[in-house]
Structures are given as structure tokens and as C-alpha cells.
Amino acid sequence: MRLFGAMLIFIACSAAGALRAAALWKKVKTLSAVEGMLRILSGEICGRLSDIKTALGVLKRSSPPETADFIGALCGRSGEIGEMPFSRLWSECAAQTLGVLGADELSELCALGTVLGRYDAPTQKAAMENCAEYFRRAHAQALPRVSGSMKAAFGAGASLGLIIMITLI
């Protein structure tokens, strides 16, 4: 019975490590997805000269799955545009749905919200391109490190489980 309990603890610790590794991978995928979302948004607002609500509708249909909750939250609250500043809606939705991003990345994305819908198309395009480039660089920096970090997270969980298992036996 003690052996069975020790094995369960080992499995639970290994699963915790695997969940941490999955969270690290999700962050890397989200960095890339935000960049893609911003490129689509830039094309809609600056290329097709769509208004914010129309651009959000296009994003809802074509954005990467990692940003779908963010776009869905924005679309769900699009009726509030005009009642409250768009930048506040953008920031609140980002904070609620893109929690996997770090504080710096969220800050960069929220800063973009202060430009959208307020300035002319070239200014908005420059802001979106700068933000997309920021996320491209963040993704490029995170990608080589994530493999080692994922192995370390899984290994730490499995090691902790093994230590506890040996202690209990």
C-alpha cells in the first residue's frame, strides 16, 4: 500500500512538471499568435481602412487560437466602445485573457490600445508594426530557451516525486 501511495505521489509530481512545461510552451505560442494577430489587425485598419468593430470581426474569424479568447472578449464588449475608452477595454481584455504573457509583454500590448482608433492610419500602422516586431523578437528570444526550460520543469517535477517516493518507501 505504501508503494502504491509513493507511486501516486511520483505520478502527481511528474504531472505537475508536465503542466509547467506545457505552460512554458503555451507562452511561446501566444507570443507568436499575438504577432500574427497584430499583422492581421494592421492589414484591416491600415490596408482596408476598416473601423475597429469591423476589424475585430475579421480577427474573430481569422486570428490564431491562442488569441481567440482575447478577440472574443473584445468583440463581446464592442458595444461599450464610446461609453468607455477603447484603450481601457483593450487593456482589460488583455489582462483577463492573456495572463500567460509576462508583465512587459502585457504592458507593450496595452500601450498599443492607447493608439488604436485615436490616430490616423499611418500612425496606427506604425504602432502596430512596432508592437508586432516586439512580439516577434520576444518569440525569437523565448523559442531557443523553451526546450531546455520545459525539460527542466518536467525533470524537476519527476525528481521531486522520486525523492518523496524514496523517502516514503
Side-chain angles (χ1 to χ4, degrees), residues 52-137:
I52 290 287
K53 289 183 181 180
T54 304
L56 290 176
V58 170
L59 273 177
K60 190 172 184 178
R61 293 187 300 276
S62 60
S63 70
E66 293 79 14
T67 58
D69 289 343
F70 172 63
I71 298 303
L74 272 173
C75 288
R77 296 185 65 183
S78 65
E80 296 177 40
I81 295 174
E83 297 172 18
M84 76 169 45
F86 180 75
S87 59
R88 184 170 161 201
L89 290 173
W90 179 271
S91 296
E92 287 176 2
C93 291
Q96 291 169 357
T97 60
L98 296 172
V100 70
L101 298 177
D104 291 342
E105 291 118 1
L106 273 176
S107 176
E108 187 73 22
L109 190 61
C110 290
L112 175 63
T114 63
V115 175
L116 296 177
R118 286 191 175 181
Y119 298 100
D120 60 350
T123 303
Q124 291 182 71
K125 182 175 181 152
M128 284 183 277
E129 286 177 356
N130 289 338
C131 193
E133 181 60 22
Y134 174 88
F135 278 93
R136 187 200 62 74
R137 282 192 314 270

